[in-house]
Amino acid sequence: MSEPRPSDRHDASDSDETFAEIVDEATQRDPDLAVIEAGSRTLRAASGRPQADEVPARPADPEVDRALRAVERELAGRWGETKLEPSVARIAALMDVLGDPQRAYPSIHITGTNGKTSTARMIEGLLGAFDLRTGRYTSPHVQSITERISLDGAPMDAERFVEAYQDIKPYIEMVDEQQPYRLSFFEVLTGMAYAAFADAPVDVAVVEVGMGGSWDATNVIDSTVAVVTPISLDHTDRLGSTPGEIAVEKAGIIKQGATVILAQQPVDAAQVMLKKAVAADATVAREGMEFGVVSREVAVGGQLLTLRGLGGEYDNIFLPLYGAHQAHNAVVALCAVEAFFGIGAEQAGSLDADIVRKAFAAVLSPGRLEVVRSSPTVVLDAAHNPAGARAASEGISEAFGFSRLIGVVGASADKDVRGLLDAFEPIFAEVVITQNSSGRAMDADALATVAVEVFGNERVQVEPRLDDALEAAITLAEEEDEYAGAGVLVTGSVITVGEARLLLGRS
C-alpha cells in the first residue's frame, strides 16, 4: 500500500502529550470516563479537520435552483423507485448509446437489506484516504437528490448535477423511444452516475444497489468486489418472503471471479450466497470466519474498535457512529477495500493502519443515529424495517442512556409497520405518530391504530403534521424536571428523517 504523505503522519509523542493534557483537564471528573473521553478526542484530533455536512441545502443561486427544480420535475414524471419492471434491458440500452461508461473504471458493488449506505460511505472514505479518486452512488437521499451521486467524497454540486442530466438527456429520449417502457427515475439517475464517474474520471466507483441485485439498474457493472450487508425482510412483495428467497436476487451482483465480502447472514441467505459464489468461481470472505469485530467500546461521540481484516488486526480505530451495527459495517467496509487492493488473495500484508484510522475517524452517515439538537437531545435514524429498528434501538440504548425516550414515527405504507413499532416499543416511553409529505407515507391515523395495539392508548399521541409532531415530542421530553435526561428519536423512514432534519435546521 502507498505510504502516507508526510503531512498525514501523526507523531506518537505529540499524541501522548495531547492525551495527557486532555486527561489533566478532566481531573475533577470520573477518572475512567476522563480516560475514555480523552482517548476518543485524541483520535479525532489525529484524523484532521472533520468533514463538512454531506447533506447539501438548496442552491443559493436562484438560476441554479430553478434549473435543479426543473430536472427534479422531469425525473419525478418517470416511474418512481417503487414501480419496477424486472429487467436491465433499458439501462443496458442507455449504457450502450453512451459508450458503456460503467466499464471505464473498476467498482465495488454493495447489496443487502440494511447498512448499505453507511458501508458505502466508509468504503469511499477509505479509498479516498489512499489517494484514489472516488465516485459513490447511493439511495435514497436524505434531503437533496444530489446526495445520490458523490465525487471525491462530496455530493455533486447542483450545477454539475444539472449538467450531468442535460448531457445524457438526448440519449435518454432516444432509449425511451426504442423501449416498451420509458427509463425509470432510478435508471436515469444510474445512467447519470455512471456517465459522471467516467467523465470525472474516477479511479473507482462505490455503487449501492437500489433494490435486489440481479435486475437492479446498477447491475450493468462488472465489479471485482461484491459486498453483501446483512439480509433481512424488506420489499417482500418484490424480492421474496424469506431471507433465502431475497438472497437469490441479491446474489445477482456476484460476477465471475469476483471477491465476495459477506457480512453475518441468516443461514438460508448465507447458503444461497455461497452457492452462487461457487458457481461464479468467486472468492468468499465471511464475517465471523475470515474477518470480524475483535472488540469495541463506547466512546464519546462514537466507539473505539479493533477490527480483524483480511490482512490482520487494526486497533485503536475511532468510529464517530453509534451502535454495534456500525462496527460490523466498518469491518465489512475495511475488508472490501482490502479485497480491492488484493490483500488476502493476491498479496500478503495489510493496509497502512494510520491511514485506516484517519479515514474511519472522518466518517459521516447522515440520518443514522445522528444527533441534530441538544436540550433535549434529538436523534434521527432512518430505520424503516424491523431489523433496522432493532439495530437503532440497541444503538441508542447503548450510547445515550436516556432516562426517558420519546419516539416520533412516520413510516411508509408498504413497510412492516407493526414489526417496526414492536422493535421500538421497549425503548419508547411515549410515541408521537405522524406522516411525511411523500405519497407513499402511511396515513397518520392508520399508523396510530397499529401503534395503539403495540403501545397502548395512553402512550400514543397523533400529530399528522411533522412540525407539530416534533414540537409535541420535544415538549414531552422537557415536561418534568425528573426527565432532564430525556431525548427524542425521529425514525420510520428516510423521508421522515430528511424532512425532520430540515425542520430542525440541519441543512
Side-chain angles (χ1 to χ4, degrees):
M1 293 302 93
S2 61
E3 290 292 318
R5 296 181 297 276
S7 61
D8 290 338
R9 297 184 183 277
H10 186 65
D11 187 76
S13 62
D14 290 344
S15 178
D16 291 342
E17 291 175 7
T18 302
F19 183 86
E21 290 172 2
I22 295 172
V23 171
D24 287 342
E25 291 173 5
T27 52
Q28 302 306 312
R29 304 178 57 208
D30 180 276
D32 291 336
L33 180 60
V35 170
I36 291 174
E37 180 169 357
S40 61
R41 286 167 61 191
T42 302
L43 285 166
R44 276 185 295 214
S47 73
R49 174 179 257 179
Q51 295 178 356
D53 191 353
E54 291 194 13
V55 181
R58 296 299 308 185
D61 186 323
E63 289 298 320
V64 175
D65 189 46
R66 276 193 288 271
L68 179 59
R69 290 184 188 279
V71 172
E72 290 170 332
R73 283 193 298 271
E74 290 188 27
L75 290 171
R78 294 179 174 274
W79 274 3
E81 291 176 279
T82 59
K83 185 172 182 180
L84 305 168
E85 195 269 324
S87 168
V88 293
R90 292 176 302 282
I91 187 66
L94 180 60
M95 293 296 99
D96 184 54
V97 297
L98 290 174
D100 285 323
Q102 81 282 11
R103 305 196 190 286
Y105 40 80
S107 57
I108 296 174
H109 207 178
I110 307 168
T111 191
T113 302
N114 292 308
K116 297 188 295 297
T117 298
S118 293
T119 303
R121 286 179 176 275
M122 293 180 200
I123 292 173
E124 174 191 47
L126 284 164
L127 292 169
F130 284 99
D131 296 322
L132 292 182
R133 189 168 199 201
T134 58
R136 172 172 53 83
Y137 181 52
T138 53
S139 60
H141 56 274
V142 177
Q143 285 175 210
S144 171
I145 194 171
T146 60
E147 297 166 38
R148 294 178 179 237
I149 305 175
S150 289
L151 293 169
D152 296 321
M156 184 181 285
D157 65 60
E159 191 168 7
R160 191 168 186 177
F161 186 91
V162 171
E163 289 173 356
Y165 176 74
Q166 296 297 341
D167 284 346
I168 70 168
K169 184 177 178 179
Y171 303 97
I172 293 169
E173 293 170 346
M174 186 186 307
V175 172
D176 282 344
E177 292 174 359
Q178 297 170 349
Q179 296 293 320
Y181 304 102
R182 297 171 69 217
L183 287 156
S184 70
F185 169 90
F186 187 74
E187 287 167 335
V188 171
L189 281 173
T190 302
M192 288 172 58
Y194 287 163
F197 295 162
D199 185 59
V202 302
D203 297 315
V204 55
V206 182
V207 178
E208 173 189 338
V209 303
M211 186 185 301
S214 295
W215 42 259
D216 186 74
T218 62
N219 203 31
V220 289
I221 51 176
D222 293 317
S223 298
T224 55
V225 179
V227 176
V228 187
T229 66
I231 294 173
S232 59
L233 300 183
D234 200 6
H235 303 296
T236 53
D237 55 332
R238 299 174 180 87
L239 301 178
S241 58
T242 67
E245 290 176 358
I246 293 171
V248 172
E249 273 302 320
K250 294 185 181 293
I253 73 165
I254 299 174
K255 303 302 194 301
Q256 193 69 28
T259 299
V260 182
I261 305 301
L262 194 62
Q264 290 180 336
Q265 304 291 345
V267 173
D268 56 345
Q271 290 172 337
V272 169
M273 288 292 169
L274 293 173
K275 183 177 180 180
K276 177 58 185 289
V278 169
D281 195 26
T283 301
V284 180
R286 299 156 295 176
E287 184 179 6
M289 299 292 286
E290 286 77 25
F291 66 91
V293 177
V294 176
S295 66
R296 68 181 198 92
E297 63 177 291
V298 176
V300 176
Q303 51 193 309
L304 297 176
L305 310 174
T306 297
L307 306 177
R308 177 167 57 87
L310 305 179
E313 285 194 5
Y314 302 79
D315 61 6
N316 292 321
I317 291 173
F318 175 72
L319 181 69
L321 302 175
Y322 301 107
H325 60 294
Q326 294 291 15
H328 291 286
N329 290 339
V331 77
V332 168
L334 173 65
C335 291
V337 173
E338 286 183 314
F340 180 78
F341 285 124
I343 290 174
E346 299 171 13
Q347 59 178 315
S350 59
L351 299 176
D352 185 299
D354 287 337
I355 295 178
V356 169
R357 292 186 190 105
K358 183 174 182 178
F360 274 123
V363 166
L364 296 172
S365 196
R368 277 73 181 180
L369 288 181
E370 178 189 20
V371 179
V372 293
R373 173 186 163 143
S374 58
S375 299
T377 300
V378 178
V379 183
L380 308 180
D381 194 87
H384 55 272
N385 56 45
R390 287 191 293 272
S393 295
E394 292 169 5
I396 201 167
S397 298
E398 174 187 76
F400 293 91
F402 291 121
S403 60
R404 181 169 181 248
L405 183 62
I406 310 300
V408 176
V409 180
S412 296
D414 59 346
K415 298 298 182 181
D416 178 4
V417 295
R418 176 63 184 252
L420 181 85
L421 294 171
D422 279 339
F424 283 124
E425 190 278 331
I427 68 166
F428 286 165
E430 296 181 62
V431 61
V432 181
I433 298 299
T434 188
Q435 65 189 74
N436 58 57
S437 64
S438 167
R440 295 171 53 202
M442 188 171 188
D443 176 76
D445 288 335
L447 181 57
T449 299
V450 182
V452 168
E453 295 174 359
V454 174
F455 291 88
N457 188 64
E458 69 282 357
R459 293 167 63 194
V460 177
Q461 183 172 333
V462 184
E463 296 290 350
R465 286 172 50 108
L466 182 56
D467 54 348
D468 291 338
L470 292 171
E471 183 177 351
I474 289 169
T475 299
L476 285 170
E478 295 176 330
E479 205 165 56
E480 300 177 37
D481 290 341
E482 68 177 290
Y483 296 135
V488 175
L489 175 62
V490 184
T491 189
S493 163
V494 175
I495 298 168
T496 300
V497 162
E499 293 181 355
R501 214 171 182 276
L502 279 171
L503 289 167
L504 292 166
R506 289 299 295 267
S507 60

